[in-house]
Amino acid sequence: MFQSLLYFRRACLAFAIAVIPVAAFSASIHGSISDPTGAVIPNATVELIEHNHSVTRVTADSRGQYVLQQAPAPGSRLRVSAPGFSSAEKILSAENNAHDLVLDIELSLASLSEQITVTSTGTPTPQAQLGVTVTVLNASEYQGTRDIQEGLRLIPGLQVTQTGQAGGTTSLFIRGGGNDANKLLIDGIPANDIGGGIEFANIASAAISGVEVLRGPNSALYGSDALAGVVSLTTTRGSSPLPLITYQADGGNFGTYHQEGTLGGAYRKLDYFSDYSRFDTSNSIPDDTFHNGTYSGNFGWSLSPNSSLRATVRHDRIASGQPNAIELYGIPSNAKQANEDAYFGVTWDDQTTHNWHNLARYGGIRLRSEYSEFSATGIPQYDDDGNLLDYLGAPITIHGANGYTVSGQALYQYVQSYPAAYPSSTDKDFAYAQSDYRFNPHIMGLFAFRYESERGYSSSPSSSIERGNYSYTFEVQGDIHSRLFYTLGGGLEDNGLYGFAGTPRASLAWQAAGANKNGILGGTKLRVSFGEGIKDPSVSDQTSSLYALLGSFAGGSELASQYHVSPIGPEHSRTYDGGVDQLLLNGRGRISLTLFHNEFTDGIEYIPQQGLTDLGVPNPVVTAAIYGATVNSQAYRAQGVEMEAEYQVSRDIFTRGGYTYVDATVQRSFSSDAIGPSFNPDFPTIPIGVDTPLIGARPFRIAPHTGYFQLGYRHSRLATNLRGTLVGSRDDSDFLSSDANGGLSLLLPNRNLDGAYQRLDLAASYEAKRYMTVESSMQNLLSEHYSEAFGYPALPFTFRLGLKFLFGGESWSMK
């Protein structure tokens, strides 16, 4: 086998040389990368910088060796970077141009304050200068994972909830915000559905090189949907002059297998990268198969030393069984969810002058999904005359983590025609332009404009909507004596549905007197921020709104005009936070403490006629809304504290951990549950919210206590990563509003219905050969039985084991 691989490897090299010409350069730069102890640093990134623009980039091999096959221009610089180390730059003089140059570079361990982020301000900014909380994850922290949501569990303030096993609906809650309150960007392309929804279960970690997470609203910069936070994904770029091809295959229990192939490189002014991955599993419960096929492409063209054009595309095709809450019904449903999504964009980036930068981007998304029920599921129930009434679940006993227990059969499905299909569709196209100018070393201004066209429907094309939205951003950032850093800005949204909405934002960061990253107690940063966010209504929110309902029948428009009923509006948020960051041990350690207070208002909920009356809607309008309608009526607050610590123990060992406390309370609601809670006759004194939380209670599935830890080790050819997720009890509902007799005997109290859980995961890889790596991952090491959403059991212990092969790239050119 290995002899065949050797022949294949040589064939790939010959093919690459034949297809992609490599010029015979008259000079080159080569050498080794090491740390202060003399140990080599593998996989470091080496870039040749000309006129502040990277013209060539390569990756050092496993021995720390690199070769740049390009003669340096006068005044160019060599920049070397590696995770866990400070970047180093070396200026190349004119005398280096005529012959081969040997440069051995030594990198020192990085200070944790040196990371650069873009998500907060729209321009590259060191974390040390930010007054907001941003976490950056690199590719190594996704070692052994299949989904992007796995890494998000390792960030303070974030809670990930997956409904069941692989492929189950996955929600992200940031600081107590809703699961549709987070902006998602893929290479700068907004990826949210209309109304802010994101299906994190469908976003594979394949081809993702970095993740930035901003905790707090930023609608000023990103417009609608950035209500609670922003998650920004960056895809991998090609860098090797000799094409690099990788292929990975692994498999595990529960019929799990995964394959992934990549092709990447750089030729003259062009860089290219393509990735295709396919993941399949049967999961551990019946009728719950899942597969995800994802393609990702990233292609760049350097128009000039200061200008570039970049195109990105991502396409996935997903299908999953939908067994429903197996622990509540005892019988898996015969249903399937299918999705096909595409994200694409083209970005022109230009450093027009030393102080003036411009960016223009066009992009779009195409989201298609269909939920299908193929046949009735459950035990048929008949009346005395033999007529079919409905279908019941199996007899079952349900135990809540709060100590309450119920037994019986739940109503599972009503009688209807099968098969039944419920499609939905979303199309979005946008154009974005940004211009930022540095007036002097201490102040910068930014202006941005965005136009977005969105079209879509939910369940039926007859319910389609169209909107054209404009947004404008103004921002100023700077510093005073390089000690006090500030960002002031605002956004103005002109939405095609509800009109204008403003979103101010401000932050301050102060480097305390005498701040220095050296010493046991290094630099101290105090920070404070304020921001407001908005979120647009979803398709169903708009089509079920009171305004839309009145417009659907004769005389309704006159009622709307007479009683000033306006289109449904945006949801709002307001956030205050403040904290301190303390560097330790020469910048190799950091601890942070953050206090936050969030107010979420104008939440959209479906309320009945009585709720409309309680809300103050005029009686003629209430009478017209026979079945109720969606309105902006809910409000709740979420406040708490975040703590995190991280430490680069040595060049080989890195550890981090965090804890979050969230105190979230529903303050205002007019839903059916809020105005008339339900009662199980076995617990007659306990009010229960069947579909929504009660006033004064916690929002469903948001845990007051969450934590995480991570321990990474990388030495020579071995890399391991141990991760732990800790989540406390949560309020929830079993949603069983009808038993076999139409009663409420299966309802369980909401408080602490979901039990606490602890999940340990381990990933490891070993480079057996330069071209072959053995990779393994294990999830839920203790095989703990738990549910992140009540009634949907999570995966028990799972494992995957496989091989990854590399062909071409810089490691071949140096042989």
Side-chain angles (χ1 to χ4, degrees):
M1 174 181 177
F2 292 111
Q3 187 69 25
S4 299
L5 286 173
L6 180 60
Y7 291 144
F8 179 64
R9 174 183 174 185
R10 291 173 178 170
C12 287
L13 178 58
F15 174 78
I17 292 174
V19 175
I20 302 182
V22 180
F25 296 103
S26 60
S28 67
I29 310 170
H30 57 93
S32 63
I33 315 296
S34 62
D35 69 9
T37 69
V40 300
I41 301 176
N43 304 316
T45 300
V46 183
E47 298 176 275
L48 184 63
I49 309 298
E50 296 179 1
H51 305 289
N52 295 318
H53 183 73
S54 176
V55 294
T56 302
R57 178 171 51 185
V58 299
T59 302
D61 66 6
S62 60
R63 299 173 300 167
Q65 302 289 317
Y66 74 93
V67 174
L68 275 170
Q69 299 281 9
Q70 181 163 329
S76 59
R77 309 188 312 275
L78 194 69
R79 177 189 297 160
V80 182
S81 59
F85 294 88
S86 296
S87 298
E89 288 195 4
K90 198 170 190 68
I91 298 177
L92 306 177
S93 60
E95 63 185 22
N96 299 139
N97 299 344
H99 52 78
D100 287 351
L101 177 64
V102 178
L103 281 179
D104 296 329
I105 307 294
E106 180 182 294
L107 299 182
S108 59
L109 288 174
S111 161
L112 296 174
S113 65
E114 294 175 348
Q115 290 179 309
I116 304 296
T117 77
V118 178
T119 308
S120 172
T121 60
T123 58
T125 306
Q127 277 190 313
Q129 299 177 11
L130 295 178
V132 296
T133 50
V134 178
T135 298
V136 180
L137 302 177
N138 57 46
S140 65
E141 289 166 294
Y142 275 90
Q143 179 188 3
T145 64
R146 66 172 185 268
D147 302 324
I148 205 68
Q149 53 102 350
E150 299 294 342
L152 301 180
R153 298 172 184 266
L154 306 178
I155 298 177
L158 272 63
Q159 180 193 334
V160 176
T161 297
Q162 185 158 35
T163 305
Q165 304 185 358
T169 293
T170 302
S171 301
L172 174 67
F173 305 98
I174 297 182
R175 290 181 171 177
N179 62 359
D180 55 358
N182 314 300
K183 191 79 171 186
L184 176 66
L185 306 170
I186 302 177
D187 287 331
I189 303 166
N192 297 70
D193 201 347
I194 297 174
I198 308 167
E199 182 50 90
F200 279 97
N202 295 347
I203 304 175
S205 55
I208 300 298
S209 62
V211 180
E212 291 186 20
V213 179
L214 167 68
R215 305 192 293 282
N218 198 353
S219 289
L221 186 60
Y222 295 110
S224 176
D225 304 331
L227 198 70
V230 180
V231 178
S232 179
L233 312 180
T234 303
T235 61
T236 305
R237 300 181 181 182
S239 61
S240 170
L242 187 64
L244 175 63
I245 302 169
T246 72
Y247 172 73
Q248 179 180 353
D250 56 69
N253 55 344
F254 304 121
T256 299
Y257 61 92
H258 163 251
Q259 297 185 80
E260 182 175 356
T262 72
L263 169 65
Y267 176 65
R268 295 185 178 177
K269 296 184 177 183
L270 174 70
D271 65 82
Y272 54 93
F273 183 84
S274 286
D275 179 295
Y276 180 77
S277 70
R278 167 85 183 210
F279 178 85
D280 291 76
T281 184
S282 296
N283 286 311
S284 70
I285 57 180
D287 299 328
D288 196 18
T289 58
F290 168 71
H291 75 253
N292 182 333
T294 296
Y295 169 76
S296 181
N298 190 320
F299 308 94
W301 181 28
S302 178
L303 302 173
S304 72
N306 298 319
S307 183
S308 66
L309 192 67
R310 183 162 300 278
T312 60
V313 61
R314 192 172 179 93
H315 178 272
D316 57 53
R317 183 171 291 177
I318 296 138
S320 60
Q322 299 292 302
N324 212 317
I326 193 72
E327 292 185 336
L328 305 184
Y329 298 105
I331 304 172
S333 61
N334 186 17
K336 183 182 83 169
Q337 175 73 42
N339 293 75
E340 185 171 1
D341 307 320
Y343 313 87
F344 53 89
V346 178
T347 301
W348 170 70
D349 192 292
D350 183 75
Q351 189 67 46
T352 310
T353 69
H354 181 70
N355 294 325
W356 187 21
H357 169 256
N358 292 282
L359 180 149
R361 177 178 290 131
Y362 162 75
I365 65 173
R366 302 291 185 265
L367 310 180
R368 305 289 184 267
S369 70
E370 183 171 274
Y371 177 80
S372 301
E373 292 183 337
F374 302 108
S375 63
T377 302
I379 301 170
Q381 182 174 224
Y382 299 91
D383 62 17
D384 294 337
D385 296 325
N387 298 311
L388 179 62
L389 297 176
D390 45 42
Y391 297 88
L392 303 177
I396 201 165
T397 298
I398 307 171
H399 303 278
N402 50 19
Y404 293 96
T405 300
V406 294
S407 298
Q409 288 178 274
L411 174 63
Y412 202 173
Q413 290 184 351
Y414 294 103
V415 177
Q416 66 176 52
S417 299
Y418 292 97
Y422 306 92
S424 65
S425 173
T426 293
D427 290 355
K428 283 188 177 184
D429 294 276
F430 77 93
Y432 175 79
Q434 172 183 313
S435 183
D436 49 88
Y437 186 81
R438 182 168 291 280
F439 297 95
N440 59 52
H442 301 286
I443 187 169
M444 173 187 287
L446 179 148
F447 170 77
F449 165 80
R450 177 185 288 104
Y451 171 75
E452 182 177 61
S453 170
E454 50 188 9
R455 297 88 63 198
Y457 63 83
S458 177
S459 298
S460 170
S462 62
S463 63
S464 62
I465 66 165
E466 292 187 16
R467 300 176 194 161
N469 311 319
Y470 300 83
S471 62
Y472 310 85
T473 298
F474 308 87
E475 182 180 274
V476 176
Q477 64 179 107
D479 67 86
I480 300 175
H481 302 302
S482 299
R483 292 278 298 280
L484 180 65
F485 301 91
Y486 60 87
T487 300
L488 302 172
L492 181 62
E493 185 87 4
D494 182 6
N495 188 272
L497 173 63
Y498 54 78
F500 288 95
T503 54
R505 180 170 174 264
S507 68
L508 291 173
W510 179 53
Q511 295 287 353
N516 193 323
K517 74 177 183 181
N518 298 317
I520 295 178
L521 289 177
T524 302
K525 182 180 77 172
L526 303 178
R527 49 183 165 73
V528 62
S529 70
F530 161 80
E532 293 186 0
I534 57 173
K535 186 186 80 67
D536 290 351
S538 68
V539 173
S540 59
D541 289 338
Q542 179 176 341
T543 56
S544 302
S545 68
L546 189 60
Y547 183 83
L549 177 68
L550 293 178
S552 65
F553 63 85
S557 298
E558 288 75 12
L559 276 177
S561 176
Q562 179 181 353
Y563 293 102
H564 308 290
V565 178
S566 58
I568 195 164
E571 299 186 11
H572 289 86
S573 71
R574 176 175 295 174
T575 292
Y576 308 85
D577 71 17
V580 57
D581 299 328
Q582 177 66 60
L583 291 179
L584 304 169
L585 303 171
N586 300 316
R588 290 165 57 185
R590 179 173 66 89
I591 56 175
S592 297
L593 174 70
T594 303
L595 303 177
F596 61 87
H597 177 88
N598 300 329
E599 298 172 0
F600 299 97
T601 56
D602 297 321
I604 297 173
E605 57 183 353
Y606 197 93
I607 63 178
Q609 278 190 318
Q610 183 59 51
L612 294 173
T613 300
D614 294 345
L615 190 59
V617 176
N619 285 331
V621 177
V622 173
T623 301
I626 301 174
Y627 301 107
T630 53
V631 295
N632 297 99
S633 56
Q634 189 193 57
Y636 72 98
R637 62 120 173 96
Q639 58 191 11
V641 58
E642 298 168 351
M643 293 181 286
E644 60 178 320
E646 49 190 13
Y647 180 48
Q648 186 78 47
V649 181
S650 68
R651 68 177 298 271
D652 300 323
I653 302 174
F654 177 76
T655 183
R656 57 195 294 261
Y659 165 78
T660 302
Y661 170 70
V662 177
D663 175 21
T665 304
V666 177
Q667 298 170 306
R668 186 172 186 256
S669 176
F670 293 89
S671 67
S672 298
D673 290 314
I675 63 177
S678 300
F679 293 87
N680 185 325
D682 293 330
F683 323 121
T685 62
I686 303 176
I688 299 173
V690 179
D691 298 309
T692 59
L694 306 180
I695 296 174
R698 297 192 297 241
F700 288 165
R701 299 179 182 173
I702 294 178
H705 304 279
T706 58
Y708 67 90
F709 65 86
Q710 180 182 19
L711 177 63
Y713 174 79
R714 182 181 295 271
H715 180 73
S716 185
R717 298 181 175 187
L718 176 67
T720 61
N721 201 325
L722 176 67
R723 298 181 287 264
T725 303
L726 317 169
V727 178
S729 301
R730 289 93 63 213
D731 287 11
D732 205 344
S733 173
D734 61 16
F735 301 97
L736 300 179
S737 58
S738 180
D739 57 23
N741 300 313
L744 303 176
S745 66
L746 292 178
L747 282 179
L748 284 167
N750 305 121
R751 189 72 169 183
N752 293 330
L753 182 60
D754 294 331
Y757 67 89
Q758 305 80 42
R759 197 184 92 181
L760 296 179
D761 302 331
L762 177 66
S765 64
Y766 179 73
E767 187 180 335
K769 300 285 186 179
R770 182 179 298 186
Y771 58 86
M772 184 180 72
T773 301
V774 181
E775 300 201 342
S776 66
S777 64
M778 290 170 280
Q779 189 178 90
N780 195 4
L781 279 171
L782 305 180
S783 201
E784 181 177 355
H785 179 80
Y786 70 96
S787 298
E788 296 183 15
F790 192 72
Y792 296 83
L795 278 166
F797 171 75
T798 62
F799 71 89
R800 288 188 289 134
L801 178 66
L803 297 175
K804 181 177 182 178
F805 300 96
L806 287 79
F807 308 101
E810 286 308 292
S811 62
W812 281 27
S813 67
M814 292 181 284
K815 293 205 70 177

